[in-house]
Amino acid sequence: MTDDLGRSAIHALLTDGTTVRIRAVEPVDHDQLHRLYERMSPENLRMRFFAVSPHSAAAAADHACEPSRPGHRALVAELTGRIIGLAEYDAGEERGSAELAVAVADGLHHRGVGTLLVEHLASAARADGLTCFVAEALSENREVLRLFTDLGLRVTHRMDGPETRCTIALDQDDSYLRAVESRGRTADVASMEPLFRPRTVAVVGAGRQPGSVGRAVLRHLRTGGFTGRLFAVNPHAHAVLGVPSYPAVAALPIPPDLVVIGSPAAAVPSVAEDSGKAGARALVVVSAGLDPPQAQALLTACRTHGMRLVGPNCLGAANTDPELRMDATFAAGHPSRGTAGIAVQSGGVGIALLGGLSRLGIGVSTFASLGDKYDVSGNDLLQWWENDGVTDLALLYLESFGNPRAFSRTARRVTRRIPLLTVDAGRTDAGRRAAASHSAAAATGTLTRQALFTQAGITATRSIGELLETAALFHAQPLPAGTRVAVVTNAGGAGVLAADACVEAGLVLPASTPGLIQELLAVLPDGATAGNPVDVTAAVAEDELRDCLDRLTAHRGVDAVVVVLVPTAVAAATGDDLVRAVTRGPGRRRTPVVLVRLEQDVPVRLLPAGEGRVIPSYAEPNAAARALTHAARRTVWLARPPGTRRIPDGIDTQRAHALADGWLTAHPDGGWLEPETCAELLSCYGIPQPPWAWAETEADAVRAAERLGGLDGRVVLKAYWPGLVREDAQRAVRLDLLGEAQVRGAYRDLRARFDVMSGAVVQPLAERGTELLVGIVQDQVFGPVVMFGPGGIATEVLVDQAARLAPLTDLDVHDLITSPRCAPLLFGSAGTDPVDLVGLEQLLHRVSRMAEDLPQLAEADFHPVLATSVGLTVLDARARLLPCRPQDPYLRRLRW
């Protein structure tokens, strides 16, 4: 498979979850296309061709199979080798437009075939520089008119007698992306029904003797009480663990919905092929150690027969729905019924989360150990949980991301209803190497991964323990309105520890107001102090503590309450249960309350609080503080409106593509752009640059200096040669040159020091301002990333950069500007004027568009960017292009 622009095969899902193959038309398709039309009813032929003619089918097939030529593309959809749909366009006389035609086989309407084909054709058309489709249809052909209207693209209609002419703009705006996501979600969820709600399951590789993984999965399915029909596949046994066994999948009495494969790696592809032929619709492959040919054969079988795949190299999958009770894993125990969804790439992490959630009493709705993640991914699970009506909390442990931009859009939508929690794994080089070694995960940088989590609203923790601690709070308590915390304790030292923990986690302990102090002291025993922390003393009674908490949770200046208790002989002697004072408070409390018990034997547990409620109890104040901080950040994220993408004026995408393509044609291995080409690329996006000139001789430099002289006629010389790297570039600059003698001397000096120098860039000396760094990196996993931070020497010394994944919204741009520690310099400090913030925002939007438009742009470095109160200028820019096949990140397709 080479790319996604109609020149190769891509697999995708129809509305009902069926897998189809989308590919370009080939000459050998002529007979199939002829039959596609011949088998249409006379009415459908009339709708397609506006009249019924015996020659229409042959002419249409001839046209679709014409030799490849500019301005014409034709795609077909195949189902098990049979062509079931065709979409094609022919460029019209009007520049940027093309005539669109669509045909779908009889009996396959209303399954999304035509829509899927047009989506793929539109993606190819955009890459070819087209801006709109034009399609003509009979006005009575409501089905095709509805297809065009429901695409999510901007469609205008013009009536012309019995016909309607539709103009379909191909802009890929948010409305279109939302429509694509909605269709993808419907198809995705339908495709995973056999995986998570199978009626029949077969386990291949279940041995007669203990010790095999397949046997362990079979035992779990049987002892877990799977309510569907269960079979074993073992040619040497009539039954395994009391489950009927058959010699092969093909010998099963009914087609299985789900096949779990625990066979040796060499046998997995053939078992998968047999399963597909037998009618299986999903596979869970727990086997590990597949080599590349075996992996490809496995996935080919899945795509050919329309099976979704979890794994290989995984722990399995489970659904605790009491009407199903499917535990197709080999974990130590069965997951308990609950409301948390789990998706992990590590089986060991999966076992830990299953056990932790069961111990807490949160339980699990559905679980998937994705392993090497050949097919089903975290994105699929998010969409399943979004629609299952059960899951209210999602826990992820992902070491790689197949389509980060699609994942980010899905996560942003899902997390507005369901909290998404993850462990930020692979934060170090050693961690990334370990992830790559055991799950084939591509290495990803911490900054880019954190950018994804931040933009998507995902709560990222640093350990499994912290993940469970935070999940307990999210499950048990409402979100705090802010970061203001009141600490209540019956031991002063414990209160000090809790106060430190809260502040270090980013929370605030506001001083109690006089009115609140008076209220609290009125209900607390003598000797109590009502500052913050509130020390209720060891003599506090159960009712007194309860009254104290009621007043704190009702106070407008308190967003959360942390109660730190230690057991005392006083409470034991009086029979007071201070924990009960916390857990049995009135149900009207809307402010989150968390408990810390320093003697607790487990890191976190959930305590019953009556009326079906629970309260999290932590063994350490640091854990409680971390969880509350995550909850407060989620509150902030939920309160923010969705960001808006802003498209700056004056962008010439077509010229940029032509420039990049032309340069790569001349430099097929890629490389760093020479100054003139780099400047031209920036001009395509309206990125401000100072005037400059290229000088290959001393005389050239002198003439340029006379023409360009900046402050008092002063200029800058920057040596250049192919392959110049940043370290050398910093030494190859001469500043503040005035007059012919200084310019000549500087040029001769640069030429003597760098014998590879091919010339120099001459620029006017810039005025003083704030130096910034703006950059682009095409991450191999996450796609285009925009970097921002301080420039100059601070770049290396402070390492104070922020990153966000492109495309940037207005909120992303705001976060980029305000996240670095240098941000106060931009807003004016110590008597200085603020920089041109509007101009800075515009620059970041333009850079984002460049990063999004040009996948060939491997990296770009705009440093320094000079920011003043009146504008911004990119004083130095470097860009590196590499050959790269464009891919549409939002195109609906299955992996591989």
Side-chain angles (χ1 to χ4, degrees):
M1 189 175 297
T2 58
D3 59 35
D4 57 10
L5 301 180
R7 293 185 289 272
S8 60
I10 289 174
H11 291 87
L13 299 171
L14 300 181
T15 304
D16 61 359
T18 302
T19 301
V20 293
R21 185 171 181 248
I22 308 292
R23 61 169 177 82
V25 170
E26 300 173 356
V28 294
D29 296 325
H30 186 276
D31 290 346
Q32 276 214 65
L33 290 171
H34 193 184
R35 287 193 296 272
L36 173 75
Y37 288 112
E38 280 190 326
R39 291 172 178 172
M40 287 184 181
S41 68
E43 179 65 6
N44 283 339
L45 283 172
R46 185 178 72 84
M47 291 294 180
R48 169 63 181 84
F49 298 112
F50 300 0
V52 178
S53 165
H55 307 295
S56 298
D62 289 344
H63 181 269
C65 294
E66 287 178 355
S68 177
R69 55 181 170 79
H72 174 254
R73 280 189 186 270
L75 302 179
V76 292
E78 284 183 321
L79 179 60
T80 60
R82 173 196 166 200
I83 292 178
I84 60 171
L86 167 71
E88 56 185 324
Y89 71 71
D90 285 281
E93 296 180 2
E94 185 177 345
R95 186 185 175 198
S97 71
E99 293 279 344
L100 170 67
V102 186
V104 176
D106 279 10
L108 288 164
H109 292 195
H110 309 296
R111 293 177 63 180
V113 178
T115 301
L116 184 61
L117 280 167
V118 174
E119 283 181 23
H120 281 256
L121 198 65
S123 179
R126 288 187 205 99
D128 289 342
L130 297 179
T131 58
C132 70
F133 283 151
V134 176
E136 295 185 350
L138 292 175
S139 299
E140 61 186 292
N141 191 349
R142 295 186 179 87
E143 287 192 8
V144 77
L145 293 175
R146 188 181 304 115
L147 185 156
F148 298 150
T149 301
D150 292 348
L151 284 169
L153 297 169
R154 191 161 35 89
V155 182
T156 57
H157 300 83
R158 191 184 73 199
M159 304 288 291
D160 185 8
E163 300 173 9
T164 296
R165 184 176 179 85
C166 301
T167 301
I168 306 166
L170 299 181
D171 303 337
Q172 202 176 45
D173 58 14
D174 279 342
S175 296
Y176 175 67
L177 295 181
R178 284 194 298 270
V180 171
E181 288 169 1
S182 178
R183 291 189 288 268
R185 182 165 65 251
T186 298
D188 211 34
V189 170
S191 75
M192 291 195 295
E193 283 281 335
L195 174 62
F196 287 119
R197 292 189 182 127
R199 293 165 297 179
T200 307
V201 176
V203 179
V204 182
R208 290 179 295 178
Q209 301 299 320
S212 72
V213 171
R215 182 182 175 92
V217 173
L218 184 66
R219 180 187 295 109
H220 263 43
L221 283 163
R222 185 177 65 82
T223 59
F226 176 58
T227 60
R229 298 191 65 179
L230 180 61
F231 302 105
V233 175
N234 186 327
H236 307 295
H238 296 293
V240 179
L241 296 173
V243 176
S245 179
Y246 293 83
V249 178
L252 295 175
I254 58 174
D257 291 323
L258 171 65
V259 176
V260 181
I261 302 178
S263 307
V268 168
S270 61
V271 173
E273 179 68 20
D274 292 345
S275 299
K277 289 179 179 178
R281 299 165 60 202
L283 300 180
V284 171
V285 180
V286 296
S287 309
L290 276 69
D291 61 26
Q294 292 163 348
Q296 187 59 59
L298 167 62
L299 199 53
T300 297
C302 290
R303 296 292 177 254
T304 300
H305 300 288
M307 300 180 290
R308 296 307 305 269
L309 166 66
V310 168
N313 186 25
C314 72
L315 182 66
N319 185 342
T320 64
D321 185 338
E323 295 184 1
L324 184 67
R325 297 201 298 274
M326 183 196 76
D327 181 7
T329 73
F330 56 96
H334 297 296
S336 62
R337 171 69 176 157
T339 59
I342 303 177
V344 295
Q345 276 188 265
S346 163
V349 172
I351 291 171
L353 292 180
L354 287 171
L357 292 173
S358 295
R359 179 181 56 77
L360 285 169
I362 297 174
V364 177
S365 57
T366 46
F367 166 84
S369 169
L370 304 175
D372 290 341
K373 208 169 64 170
Y374 285 8
D375 178 25
V376 172
S377 66
N379 204 35
D380 297 306
L381 270 298
L382 291 183
Q383 296 183 99
W384 177 266
W385 295 327
E386 184 183 17
N387 290 272
D388 70 0
V390 177
T391 303
D392 60 13
L393 181 68
L395 277 62
L396 307 170
Y397 178 84
L398 303 177
E399 295 166 351
S400 64
F401 299 84
N403 188 337
R405 279 195 269 180
F407 177 85
S408 179
R409 285 189 65 91
T410 302
R412 289 188 204 206
R413 183 185 72 244
V414 174
T415 198
R416 293 207 168 266
R417 187 175 68 83
I418 300 172
L420 305 182
L421 284 72
T422 190
V423 176
D424 185 10
R427 298 186 300 273
T428 65
D429 290 341
R432 286 189 286 274
R433 287 194 302 271
S437 68
H438 88 88
S439 66
T444 60
T446 299
L447 205 58
T448 50
R449 198 171 52 252
Q450 289 175 346
L452 171 65
F453 296 151
T454 299
Q455 288 174 271
I458 296 172
T459 298
T461 66
R462 296 176 67 85
S463 67
I464 296 299
E466 185 181 341
L467 182 68
L468 291 170
E469 293 158 2
T470 308
L473 177 63
F474 280 23
H475 174 77
Q477 293 288 291
L479 293 175
T483 59
R484 299 168 302 176
V485 175
V487 173
V488 180
T489 182
N490 67 341
V496 172
L497 293 175
D500 286 343
C502 289
V503 173
E504 288 171 352
L507 302 171
V508 178
L509 267 69
S512 299
T513 63
L516 179 60
I517 291 174
Q518 187 174 359
E519 280 189 60
L520 296 178
L521 291 179
V523 299
L524 292 175
D526 293 340
T529 58
N532 194 7
V534 178
D535 186 349
V536 298
T537 78
V540 70
E542 181 179 332
D543 290 344
E544 292 170 331
L545 180 57
R546 182 180 297 112
D547 289 343
C548 172
L549 295 180
D550 290 346
R551 282 159 175 75
L552 284 171
T553 55
H555 194 269
R556 292 183 179 180
V558 175
D559 298 319
V561 179
V562 177
V563 184
V564 188
L565 298 178
V566 297
T568 68
V570 177
T574 60
D576 284 306
D577 186 344
L578 300 186
V579 173
R580 187 168 58 206
V582 180
T583 60
R584 300 301 182 187
R588 66 177 179 272
R589 287 180 186 162
R590 299 188 180 221
T591 299
V593 176
V594 301
L595 181 61
V596 176
R597 296 184 296 164
L598 299 180
E599 83 285 1
Q600 186 170 289
D601 59 348
V602 293
V604 61
R605 59 164 39 109
L606 293 177
L607 304 179
E611 302 176 3
R613 296 178 298 113
V614 290
I615 283 183
S617 175
Y618 299 92
E620 287 283 346
N622 303 76
R626 285 193 301 262
L628 278 172
T629 300
H630 286 307
R633 288 173 180 165
R634 175 163 171 77
T635 298
V636 171
W637 192 89
L638 289 173
R640 300 179 72 182
T644 302
R645 288 176 61 189
R646 294 181 180 172
I647 309 300
D649 296 330
I651 290 179
D652 193 341
T653 301
Q654 286 189 327
R655 184 161 68 95
H657 278 295
L659 186 151
D661 291 342
W663 194 88
L664 284 171
T665 299
H667 306 81
D669 294 331
W672 292 97
L673 299 182
E674 57 275 3
E676 182 178 2
T677 308
C678 188
E680 185 179 354
L681 183 63
L682 267 63
S683 72
C684 294
Y685 290 90
I687 294 174
Q689 307 170 74
W692 67 281
W694 176 248
E696 295 186 1
T697 65
E698 287 181 32
D700 290 343
V702 169
R703 284 191 293 270
E706 291 173 349
R707 188 172 73 255
L708 298 175
L711 293 173
D712 301 324
R714 299 175 187 275
V715 296
V716 175
L717 256 63
K718 303 177 184 178
Y720 172 80
W721 60 89
L724 175 68
V725 295
R726 168 60 61 186
E727 290 75 11
D728 287 335
Q730 292 173 343
R731 297 185 295 109
V733 178
R734 294 294 302 272
L735 304 172
D736 201 18
L737 304 175
L738 180 63
E740 177 179 347
Q742 289 189 9
V743 172
R744 286 187 180 276
Y747 194 94
R748 283 196 298 268
D749 176 63
L750 291 173
R751 178 72 74 181
R753 290 166 54 200
F754 304 105
D755 57 358
V756 294
M757 173 176 149
S758 55
V761 171
V762 184
Q763 290 178 340
L765 182 67
E767 60 182 298
R768 291 184 178 276
T770 301
E771 292 188 3
L772 302 172
L773 164 69
V774 177
I776 296 171
V777 175
Q778 285 284 348
D779 189 278
Q780 63 172 325
V781 175
F782 289 86
V785 180
V786 178
M787 318 284 288
F788 175 75
I793 191 171
T795 300
E796 306 296 335
V797 175
L798 299 181
V799 193
D800 182 22
Q801 295 177 356
R804 290 295 183 270
L805 275 63
L808 301 180
T809 67
D810 54 346
L811 295 181
D812 296 329
V813 167
H814 175 270
D815 289 345
L816 274 178
I817 293 173
T818 57
S819 292
R821 297 189 298 277
C822 72
L825 297 175
L826 307 179
F827 296 94
S829 63
T832 62
D833 293 329
V835 305
D836 179 7
L837 294 172
V838 173
L840 179 55
E841 291 172 353
Q842 279 286 312
L843 173 64
L844 290 171
H845 280 297
R846 293 179 185 279
V847 170
S848 170
R849 182 62 184 268
M850 174 189 285
E852 184 183 10
D853 283 348
L854 300 172
Q856 310 97 315
L857 185 59
E859 56 182 309
D861 184 13
F862 309 140
H863 181 219
V865 175
L866 184 71
T868 69
S869 60
V870 296
L872 288 98
T873 306
V874 176
L875 297 183
D876 192 39
R878 304 176 72 242
R880 184 166 66 97
L881 299 186
L882 289 178
C884 178
R885 291 184 293 268
Q887 288 198 340
D888 183 345
Y890 306 114
L891 189 64
R892 286 196 286 153
R893 60 183 169 208
L894 295 171
R895 299 180 70 188
W896 290 16

